[in-house]
Amino acid sequence: MRVLGLETSCDETGVAVYDTAPGRGLLAHALHSQTALHLAYGGVVPELASRDHVERLVPLIRRTLDEAGLGVADLDGVAYTAGPGLVGALLVGAGLGRALAFALGKPAIGVHHMEGHLLAPLMEPDPPGPPFVALLVSGGHTMLLEVAAIGRYRLLGETLDDAAGEAFDKTAKLMGLPYPGGPAIARLAAGGRPDRFTFPRPMTDRPGLDFSFSGLKTQVLLAWQRHRDEPDAAADIARAFEEAATETLAIKCRRALAETGARTLVVAGGVGANRRLRERLASAARADGFRLAFPRPEFCTDNGAMIAFAGALRLAAGLADDAPLHVRARWPLESLPALPAG
Amino acid sequence: MHVLALDTTTEACSVALIVDATAEGRGGRLRERFEIAPRRHAELVLPMVGSVLAEAGLALRDVDAIAFGRGPGAFTGVRLAIAIAQGLALGADRPVVPVSTLATLAQGAVARRVAPGDRVLALIDARMGEVYAGAFAVDDEGLVRPLGDERVLPPGVVAAPDGPFVAVGSGWDAHRDVLLASWGRSPVADDGDALPRAGDLARLAARELAAGRAQDAARARPVYLRDKVALTVDEQVAARALGSG
């Protein structure tokens, strides 16, 4: 089954075609990032994001189909991100995707953006299978999930305030680094000393799998205000922040694996591309003997491939979306229907 | 020619199918679905398309073009209209015809209350103390033609067309007193409750299609008129400095 996937939930326009036939997989994908567009505004402007999706989507669809050597008539279904995300932005991809499926007389499915992320590592060769624990960590989300089967998700813990990626972005902003801050912090941290500053590992001193990153950001602010004029302060603070954030994530991941008895950890979302986080989790995997799976770095951030893939799995299982077109700003992952067994 | 038309740019959601229209948007048989349904456009529009096509016994590929209300109007509704039109156009391999929401609104007035030679001023409430405004003449075929550029502006500076004219739309309804005071004269007729209808849009689109002005889906653009929607970081700093100064 060949499925077109459309992602427009925030500031990336993503398009891909995934084929569920054996030996096929991802046939083509294309992405337009709006980072440059939002740079002057210091963050994503929802209205501008929506306007840009409208201009990008049709050319990206044509390019992706050309690369896959397909025409629209060769598609067996259309998947689009239906939430969670910016409603105006979601409506662009959902409206176009649903209308395309209508015109082709093919099934359509609204995909949960976070399911797309957490299944993304399963597109790689030798994919891990359920049960596993998933860490979804991005600018908008930080959550740990137990995945008993595809479509059966239990929330183990989530952030009580800022997402981990948001903490990276805000830390970068207060130190005067350009948006988006995550990669900027990581680059700066690579040249910093790990032991000059020490920041707390929030909520690791008590049981539970929830996160909190807003206090960490405040600690960084205080250190920056006190030391900003000293040599190497920015790099050393960035390094200490990255150490604290990534160690906190790693501690909770190990705890989640111990609590669930799962032997596999899947990591997805933009912060999953952070090199220090990957190093820490890799050494934890060696020490504890669990399997660690990441998507390739380009599929850690928002992309159309993960939507085509998650949609293809659902459509192939007969779960087309016949309900009226609807997008959601909020959408609990646990409310998704599970895929039928087999 | 057969034209499918859809509009979701205001609180109304409508779809129309005109079959065997002439180049003047005349003749043929018009089928229309129209519902005032704020926030429900996304769920209504495709079932409306299916319903008019089924009633006419046509498939989507039988239409010559897919016309849509390209704005100005509610931003999200403007984008929904183009997204739906682009999806249909890609799937059926047909061109699209963008049509002004203000022209559609004015065309509705022609059908219902305009005398020969009258002009039409279409006004849509743009919120934030502004209106979207477009003035139109009516040609011999009974179709509206723009008298100038469409603009977004405060109601107090909207010019009245020369001669007798009809005023329609939510912008007229919301700012009637300010408009009348600035003009010093009244329209010969008015309708503050008028909303754009896909049937009127389809007639205007038939003329565009006959004139060779259909477009590839990738080239179609919405028209928002209000293009400054956020302040850059530099502008925010300047605004704060001004506010505290």
Side-chain angles (χ1 to χ4, degrees):
Chain A
M1 181 172 221
R2 283 184 293 257
V3 175
L4 178 73
L6 306 177
E7 156 64 29
T8 64
S9 68
C10 189
D11 61 343
E12 318 272 354
T13 317
V15 178
V17 183
Y18 191 90
D19 190 342
T20 57
R24 301 289 286 165
L26 187 65
L27 301 184
H29 66 96
L31 185 82
H32 174 79
S33 170
Q34 301 178 355
T35 301
L37 170 70
H38 298 291
L39 191 61
Y41 298 90
V44 175
V45 181
E47 176 60 23
L48 295 180
S50 304
R51 290 184 178 198
D52 201 57
H53 288 307
V54 168
E55 299 193 9
R56 306 289 174 183
L57 202 47
V58 174
L60 277 181
I61 291 171
R62 289 225 174 103
R63 197 169 103 203
T64 306
L65 288 171
D66 280 353
E67 260 174 48
L70 300 175
V72 281
D74 299 317
L75 296 171
D76 301 306
V78 180
Y80 52 86
T81 307
L86 305 169
V87 166
L90 286 165
L91 260 182
V92 175
L96 198 153
R98 199 64 181 264
L100 176 58
F102 175 95
L104 296 171
K106 298 290 168 60
I109 180 116
V111 171
H112 193 295
H113 180 79
M114 301 313 288
E115 181 177 54
H117 273 304
L118 80 87
L119 297 183
L122 277 58
M123 278 189 283
E124 302 302 329
D126 184 25
F132 55 77
V133 166
L135 171 69
L136 295 182
V137 61
S138 69
H141 303 270
T142 303
M143 56 175 80
L144 277 163
L145 294 148
E146 182 182 31
V147 179
I150 292 172
R152 274 180 59 204
Y153 309 120
R154 184 168 72 93
L155 186 66
L156 299 170
E158 63 185 330
T159 184
L160 304 178
D161 41 57
D162 290 352
E166 199 177 353
F168 272 85
D169 286 342
K170 287 179 174 174
T171 295
K173 195 170 183 178
L174 72 87
M175 296 205 303
L177 300 174
Y179 163 89
I185 288 280
R187 276 194 302 276
L188 193 57
R193 281 171 290 175
D195 51 358
R196 178 171 165 202
F197 298 97
T198 305
F199 296 126
R201 276 60 171 156
M203 298 184 73
T204 54
D205 58 348
R206 71 196 87 162
L209 295 167
D210 286 333
F211 302 89
S212 166
F213 289 103
S214 71
L216 175 56
K217 178 194 65 198
T218 307
Q219 293 295 314
V220 172
L221 177 62
L222 293 174
W224 176 245
Q225 285 171 340
R226 193 168 307 152
H227 300 281
R228 58 185 299 168
D229 298 326
E230 299 168 16
D232 302 326
D236 293 343
I237 288 173
R239 179 63 187 268
F241 165 79
E242 191 182 48
E243 291 297 317
T246 56
E247 188 177 13
T248 302
L249 291 167
I251 289 169
K252 299 281 174 153
C253 286
R254 295 174 87 162
R255 206 179 273 179
L257 288 160
E259 281 187 18
T260 59
R263 309 291 303 154
T264 302
L265 176 69
V266 156
V267 181
V271 181
N274 180 274
R275 193 184 51 85
R276 190 71 189 107
L277 178 65
R278 289 187 172 222
E279 284 171 4
R280 277 190 184 282
L281 291 175
S283 74
R286 280 192 301 275
D288 297 357
F290 63 84
R291 181 176 175 188
L292 180 62
F294 290 99
R296 69 191 83 165
E298 66 181 316
F299 293 160
C300 280
T301 45
D302 293 351
N303 64 86
M306 66 184 196
I307 302 305
F309 178 65
L313 293 183
R314 288 188 169 272
L315 286 174
L319 292 174
D321 206 342
D322 301 321
L325 173 57
H326 179 55
V327 299
R328 313 159 199 235
R330 295 172 189 283
W331 187 3
L333 200 46
E334 288 165 303
S335 68
L336 290 181
L339 263 63
Chain B
M1 70 183 98
H2 310 329
V3 177
L4 177 75
L6 59 98
D7 182 84
T8 59
T9 56
T10 66
E11 56 265 46
C13 177
S14 65
V15 169
L17 177 66
I18 188 166
V19 176
D20 294 325
T22 66
E24 295 78 37
R26 288 241 182 95
R29 170 99 196 259
L30 181 74
R31 292 175 175 82
E32 188 184 63
R33 302 289 181 270
F34 178 92
E35 196 169 328
I36 296 173
R39 300 187 158 274
R40 292 182 54 224
H41 301 71
E43 58 184 273
L44 290 174
V45 63
L46 283 173
M48 284 178 168
V49 170
S51 159
V52 293
L53 287 170
E55 193 180 287
L58 293 181
L60 186 63
R61 292 188 68 93
D62 296 327
V63 307
D64 295 287
I66 293 146
F68 66 97
R70 53 84 162 143
F75 296 161
T76 299
V78 168
R79 271 191 294 275
L80 180 67
I82 187 171
I84 296 284
Q86 286 176 324
L88 294 175
L90 269 185
D93 193 21
R94 289 292 175 271
V96 298
V97 180
V99 176
S100 157
T101 308
L102 290 165
T104 303
L105 192 55
Q107 187 62 39
V110 174
R112 288 175 276 280
R113 59 189 73 229
V114 173
D118 282 0
R119 295 179 157 184
V120 184
L121 181 63
L123 300 166
I124 294 174
D125 187 4
R127 317 285 164 151
M128 301 167 73
E130 293 187 309
V131 293
Y132 301 119
F136 299 86
V138 184
D139 68 15
D140 295 341
E141 310 295 342
L143 295 177
V144 296
R145 291 186 184 275
L147 287 167
D149 290 340
E150 299 178 353
R151 297 174 66 192
V152 57
L153 69 184
V157 296
V158 173
D162 296 335
F165 70 98
V166 175
V168 292
S170 58
W172 163 249
D173 192 48
H175 300 287
R176 184 182 304 244
D177 295 343
V178 175
L179 290 161
L180 287 173
S182 99
W183 295 335
R185 62 193 176 104
S186 298
V188 292
D190 71 287
D191 183 357
D193 297 327
L195 290 166
R197 301 185 74 106
D200 296 313
L201 198 160
R203 294 196 181 281
L204 292 170
R207 178 181 65 192
E208 296 300 297
L209 180 61
R213 287 195 285 266
Q215 298 179 358
D216 179 79
R219 269 203 289 278
R221 289 285 179 273
V223 172
Y224 304 102
L225 292 186
R226 182 176 282 149
D227 289 323
K228 184 71 188 167
V229 294
L231 297 180
T232 64
V233 173
D234 291 348
E235 289 164 341
Q236 291 166 28
V237 169
R240 272 197 297 274
L242 214 62
S244 62

